[in-house]
Short mmCIF file of all heavy atoms in Angstrom, two decimals:
data_model
loop_
_atom_site.label_atom_id
_atom_site.label_comp_id
_atom_site.label_asym_id
_atom_site.label_seq_id
_atom_site.Cartn_x
_atom_site.Cartn_y
_atom_site.Cartn_z
N ASP Z 250 100.60 100.13 109.20
CA ASP Z 250 99.69 99.28 108.43
C ASP Z 250 100.37 98.57 107.27
O ASP Z 250 99.70 98.00 106.42
CB ASP Z 250 98.53 100.13 107.89
CG ASP Z 250 98.97 101.07 106.77
OD1 ASP Z 250 100.19 101.22 106.54
OD2 ASP Z 250 98.08 101.64 106.11
N TYR Z 251 101.68 98.55 107.25
CA TYR Z 251 102.41 98.11 106.06
C TYR Z 251 103.04 96.74 106.19
O TYR Z 251 103.68 96.26 105.27
CB TYR Z 251 103.51 99.14 105.72
CG TYR Z 251 104.40 99.49 106.88
CD1 TYR Z 251 105.62 98.85 107.08
CD2 TYR Z 251 104.00 100.46 107.80
CE1 TYR Z 251 106.41 99.17 108.16
CE2 TYR Z 251 104.80 100.78 108.88
CZ TYR Z 251 106.01 100.14 109.05
OH TYR Z 251 106.79 100.45 110.13
N ARG Z 252 102.87 96.07 107.33
CA ARG Z 252 103.38 94.72 107.49
C ARG Z 252 102.26 93.70 107.58
O ARG Z 252 102.42 92.55 107.23
CB ARG Z 252 104.25 94.62 108.75
CG ARG Z 252 105.54 95.41 108.66
CD ARG Z 252 106.56 94.71 107.78
NE ARG Z 252 107.72 95.55 107.56
CZ ARG Z 252 108.00 96.16 106.42
NH1 ARG Z 252 107.19 96.03 105.39
NH2 ARG Z 252 109.06 96.91 106.31
N ASN Z 253 101.11 94.12 108.10
CA ASN Z 253 100.01 93.19 108.34
C ASN Z 253 98.76 93.76 107.69
O ASN Z 253 98.12 94.67 108.22
CB ASN Z 253 99.81 93.01 109.85
CG ASN Z 253 98.87 91.86 110.18
OD1 ASN Z 253 98.49 91.09 109.30
ND2 ASN Z 253 98.51 91.74 111.45
N PHE Z 254 98.40 93.24 106.53
CA PHE Z 254 97.23 93.73 105.80
C PHE Z 254 96.76 92.63 104.87
O PHE Z 254 97.43 91.62 104.66
CB PHE Z 254 97.57 95.00 105.01
CG PHE Z 254 98.70 94.83 104.03
CD1 PHE Z 254 98.44 94.43 102.72
CD2 PHE Z 254 100.02 95.06 104.40
CE1 PHE Z 254 99.49 94.27 101.81
CE2 PHE Z 254 101.06 94.89 103.51
CZ PHE Z 254 100.79 94.50 102.21
N LEU Z 255 95.59 92.83 104.29
CA LEU Z 255 95.10 91.89 103.29
C LEU Z 255 94.63 92.68 102.07
O LEU Z 255 94.27 93.86 102.17
CB LEU Z 255 94.00 90.99 103.84
CG LEU Z 255 92.69 91.62 104.34
CD1 LEU Z 255 91.69 91.76 103.20
CD2 LEU Z 255 92.08 90.76 105.44
N ILE Z 256 94.69 92.03 100.93
CA ILE Z 256 94.26 92.66 99.69
C ILE Z 256 93.10 91.85 99.11
O ILE Z 256 93.21 90.64 98.94
CB ILE Z 256 95.41 92.73 98.67
CG1 ILE Z 256 96.52 93.64 99.22
CG2 ILE Z 256 94.92 93.25 97.33
CD1 ILE Z 256 97.74 93.72 98.33
N VAL Z 257 92.00 92.52 98.87
CA VAL Z 257 90.82 91.90 98.26
C VAL Z 257 90.53 92.68 96.98
O VAL Z 257 90.24 93.87 97.03
CB VAL Z 257 89.61 91.93 99.20
CG1 VAL Z 257 88.40 91.31 98.52
CG2 VAL Z 257 89.92 91.21 100.51
N GLY Z 258 90.63 92.00 95.85
CA GLY Z 258 90.50 92.70 94.57
C GLY Z 258 91.67 93.65 94.42
O GLY Z 258 92.83 93.26 94.53
N ASP Z 259 91.37 94.90 94.23
CA ASP Z 259 92.44 95.90 94.11
C ASP Z 259 92.49 96.81 95.33
O ASP Z 259 93.12 97.87 95.30
CB ASP Z 259 92.25 96.74 92.84
CG ASP Z 259 90.91 97.47 92.83
OD1 ASP Z 259 90.09 97.23 93.74
OD2 ASP Z 259 90.69 98.27 91.90
N LYS Z 260 91.85 96.37 96.43
CA LYS Z 260 91.81 97.21 97.63
C LYS Z 260 92.61 96.59 98.77
O LYS Z 260 92.59 95.38 98.98
CB LYS Z 260 90.37 97.43 98.08
CG LYS Z 260 90.23 98.50 99.15
CD LYS Z 260 88.80 98.95 99.33
CE LYS Z 260 88.70 100.08 100.35
NZ LYS Z 260 87.31 100.57 100.50
N ARG Z 261 93.30 97.43 99.47
CA ARG Z 261 94.17 97.03 100.58
C ARG Z 261 93.48 97.34 101.90
O ARG Z 261 93.00 98.45 102.10
CB ARG Z 261 95.48 97.82 100.47
CG ARG Z 261 96.56 97.49 101.43
CD ARG Z 261 97.78 98.30 100.98
NE ARG Z 261 98.94 98.09 101.82
CZ ARG Z 261 99.18 98.77 102.94
NH1 ARG Z 261 98.32 99.69 103.32
NH2 ARG Z 261 100.26 98.53 103.64
N TYR Z 262 93.43 96.35 102.80
CA TYR Z 262 92.77 96.51 104.08
C TYR Z 262 93.79 96.37 105.22
O TYR Z 262 94.46 95.35 105.34
CB TYR Z 262 91.65 95.49 104.26
CG TYR Z 262 90.48 95.72 103.33
CD1 TYR Z 262 90.47 95.16 102.05
CD2 TYR Z 262 89.40 96.50 103.72
CE1 TYR Z 262 89.40 95.37 101.19
CE2 TYR Z 262 88.33 96.72 102.87
CZ TYR Z 262 88.33 96.16 101.60
OH TYR Z 262 87.29 96.37 100.76
N SER Z 263 93.88 97.40 106.05
CA SER Z 263 94.81 97.41 107.17
C SER Z 263 94.33 96.49 108.29
O SER Z 263 93.13 96.24 108.44
CB SER Z 263 94.94 98.84 107.70
OG SER Z 263 95.55 98.87 108.97
N HIS Z 264 95.26 96.02 109.11
CA HIS Z 264 94.88 95.22 110.27
C HIS Z 264 94.35 96.07 111.42
O HIS Z 264 93.85 95.55 112.41
CB HIS Z 264 96.08 94.40 110.77
CG HIS Z 264 97.09 95.21 111.53
ND1 HIS Z 264 97.90 96.14 110.95
CD2 HIS Z 264 97.42 95.20 112.84
CE1 HIS Z 264 98.69 96.69 111.86
NE2 HIS Z 264 98.41 96.15 113.01
N GLU Z 265 94.46 97.39 111.29
CA GLU Z 265 93.93 98.28 112.32
C GLU Z 265 92.42 98.40 112.13
O GLU Z 265 91.95 98.93 111.13
CB GLU Z 265 94.58 99.66 112.22
CG GLU Z 265 96.10 99.66 112.31
CD GLU Z 265 96.60 99.44 113.72
OE1 GLU Z 265 95.76 99.30 114.65
OE2 GLU Z 265 97.83 99.43 113.92
N ILE Z 266 91.66 97.90 113.10
CA ILE Z 266 90.20 97.90 113.01
C ILE Z 266 89.63 99.07 113.82
O ILE Z 266 90.02 99.28 114.97
CB ILE Z 266 89.61 96.59 113.54
CG1 ILE Z 266 90.27 95.37 112.85
CG2 ILE Z 266 88.10 96.56 113.37
CD1 ILE Z 266 90.03 95.29 111.38
N ASP Z 267 88.73 99.81 113.23
CA ASP Z 267 88.04 100.89 113.94
C ASP Z 267 86.88 100.27 114.73
O ASP Z 267 85.93 99.77 114.12
CB ASP Z 267 87.51 101.92 112.95
CG ASP Z 267 86.89 103.13 113.64
OD1 ASP Z 267 86.61 103.06 114.85
OD2 ASP Z 267 86.70 104.16 112.95
N PRO Z 268 86.94 100.29 116.07
CA PRO Z 268 85.88 99.66 116.85
C PRO Z 268 84.50 100.27 116.61
O PRO Z 268 83.48 99.59 116.79
CB PRO Z 268 86.32 99.90 118.30
CG PRO Z 268 87.80 100.10 118.22
CD PRO Z 268 88.02 100.81 116.92
N LYS Z 269 84.45 101.53 116.18
CA LYS Z 269 83.16 102.19 115.99
C LYS Z 269 82.46 101.74 114.70
O LYS Z 269 81.25 101.82 114.60
CB LYS Z 269 83.34 103.71 115.99
CG LYS Z 269 83.74 104.25 117.35
CD LYS Z 269 83.80 105.77 117.34
CE LYS Z 269 84.12 106.29 118.73
NZ LYS Z 269 84.18 107.78 118.75
N THR Z 270 83.23 101.31 113.72
CA THR Z 270 82.62 100.88 112.46
C THR Z 270 82.71 99.38 112.25
O THR Z 270 81.90 98.80 111.52
CB THR Z 270 83.32 101.57 111.27
OG1 THR Z 270 84.68 101.10 111.17
CG2 THR Z 270 83.31 103.09 111.43
N GLY Z 271 83.72 98.75 112.87
CA GLY Z 271 83.95 97.33 112.66
C GLY Z 271 84.76 97.03 111.41
O GLY Z 271 85.01 95.86 111.10
N TRP Z 272 85.17 98.06 110.69
CA TRP Z 272 85.92 97.90 109.44
C TRP Z 272 87.35 98.39 109.61
O TRP Z 272 87.63 99.23 110.48
CB TRP Z 272 85.23 98.69 108.32
CG TRP Z 272 83.91 98.11 107.93
CD1 TRP Z 272 82.73 98.23 108.62
CD2 TRP Z 272 83.63 97.29 106.79
NE1 TRP Z 272 81.73 97.54 107.99
CE2 TRP Z 272 82.25 96.96 106.86
CE3 TRP Z 272 84.39 96.81 105.74
CZ2 TRP Z 272 81.62 96.17 105.91
CZ3 TRP Z 272 83.76 96.03 104.77
CH2 TRP Z 272 82.40 95.71 104.87
N PRO Z 273 88.28 97.87 108.81
CA PRO Z 273 89.65 98.40 108.84
C PRO Z 273 89.65 99.90 108.57
O PRO Z 273 88.83 100.40 107.78
CB PRO Z 273 90.35 97.63 107.72
CG PRO Z 273 89.57 96.36 107.59
CD PRO Z 273 88.15 96.74 107.87
N VAL Z 274 90.55 100.60 109.24
CA VAL Z 274 90.61 102.06 109.07
C VAL Z 274 90.98 102.40 107.63
O VAL Z 274 91.78 101.71 107.00
CB VAL Z 274 91.62 102.70 110.04
CG1 VAL Z 274 91.17 102.52 111.47
CG2 VAL Z 274 93.02 102.12 109.85
N GLU Z 275 90.37 103.45 107.12
CA GLU Z 275 90.67 103.91 105.76
C GLU Z 275 91.17 105.35 105.84
O GLU Z 275 90.38 106.28 106.01
CB GLU Z 275 89.42 103.83 104.88
CG GLU Z 275 88.96 102.41 104.60
CD GLU Z 275 87.89 102.35 103.52
OE1 GLU Z 275 88.06 103.02 102.48
OE2 GLU Z 275 86.89 101.65 103.74
N GLN Z 276 92.46 105.51 105.76
CA GLN Z 276 93.06 106.83 105.76
C GLN Z 276 94.47 106.72 105.21
O GLN Z 276 94.97 105.62 104.95
CB GLN Z 276 93.07 107.43 107.17
CG GLN Z 276 93.79 106.57 108.21
CD GLN Z 276 93.81 107.24 109.58
OE1 GLN Z 276 94.00 108.43 109.68
NE2 GLN Z 276 93.60 106.46 110.62
N SER Z 277 95.11 107.86 105.05
CA SER Z 277 96.44 107.88 104.45
C SER Z 277 97.55 107.59 105.45
O SER Z 277 98.72 107.50 105.06
CB SER Z 277 96.68 109.24 103.80
OG SER Z 277 96.58 110.28 104.77
N LEU Z 278 97.20 107.44 106.71
CA LEU Z 278 98.21 107.24 107.75
C LEU Z 278 98.86 105.87 107.61
O LEU Z 278 98.20 104.84 107.57
CB LEU Z 278 97.54 107.36 109.12
CG LEU Z 278 98.45 107.51 110.34
CD1 LEU Z 278 99.38 108.70 110.20
CD2 LEU Z 278 97.59 107.67 111.59
N ALA Z 279 100.20 105.87 107.52
CA ALA Z 279 100.95 104.62 107.34
C ALA Z 279 101.61 104.14 108.61
O ALA Z 279 101.79 102.94 108.82
CB ALA Z 279 102.00 104.80 106.26
N SER Z 280 102.00 105.08 109.49
CA SER Z 280 102.78 104.70 110.66
C SER Z 280 102.65 105.78 111.73
O SER Z 280 102.55 106.97 111.42
CB SER Z 280 104.25 104.51 110.27
OG SER Z 280 105.06 104.34 111.40
N VAL Z 281 102.66 105.33 112.98
CA VAL Z 281 102.66 106.25 114.13
C VAL Z 281 103.67 105.75 115.15
O VAL Z 281 103.67 104.56 115.49
CB VAL Z 281 101.27 106.33 114.79
CG1 VAL Z 281 101.35 107.12 116.10
CG2 VAL Z 281 100.26 106.97 113.86
N SER Z 282 104.53 106.64 115.62
CA SER Z 282 105.47 106.33 116.69
C SER Z 282 105.18 107.26 117.86
O SER Z 282 105.13 108.49 117.69
CB SER Z 282 106.91 106.51 116.22
OG SER Z 282 107.23 105.60 115.20
N VAL Z 283 104.99 106.68 119.04
CA VAL Z 283 104.63 107.45 120.23
C VAL Z 283 105.77 107.37 121.24
O VAL Z 283 106.28 106.28 121.53
CB VAL Z 283 103.33 106.92 120.87
CG1 VAL Z 283 103.05 107.64 122.19
CG2 VAL Z 283 102.16 107.08 119.92
N VAL Z 284 106.17 108.51 121.77
CA VAL Z 284 107.14 108.59 122.85
C VAL Z 284 106.39 108.99 124.12
O VAL Z 284 105.67 110.00 124.12
CB VAL Z 284 108.26 109.60 122.54
CG1 VAL Z 284 109.16 109.82 123.76
CG2 VAL Z 284 109.10 109.12 121.36
N ALA Z 285 106.56 108.21 125.17
CA ALA Z 285 105.86 108.47 126.43
C ALA Z 285 106.76 108.06 127.59
O ALA Z 285 107.84 107.51 127.40
CB ALA Z 285 104.54 107.71 126.47
N ALA Z 286 106.28 108.33 128.80
CA ALA Z 286 107.07 107.99 129.98
C ALA Z 286 107.16 106.50 130.21
O ALA Z 286 108.14 106.00 130.75
CB ALA Z 286 106.46 108.66 131.21
#
């Protein structure tokens, strides 16, 4: 969430959208790397 985001006022909004809420995700997670086949 650290390359593509927007800031409104003093709040930072991630580009990751939660489909269930329609709002950018709000959590402390900054990055995920997945290893798969």
Side-chain angles (χ1 to χ4, degrees):
D250 71 349
Y251 51 95
R252 292 285 173 252
N253 192 8
F254 58 90
L255 61 89
I256 296 177
V257 179
D259 59 354
K260 191 166 184 178
R261 185 173 180 274
Y262 292 88
S263 166
H264 76 290
E265 303 285 0
I266 307 297
D267 185 344
K269 292 185 177 180
T270 67
W272 291 77
V274 295
E275 293 191 46
Q276 57 178 320
S277 59
L278 194 56
S280 171
V281 172
S282 296
V283 175
V284 172

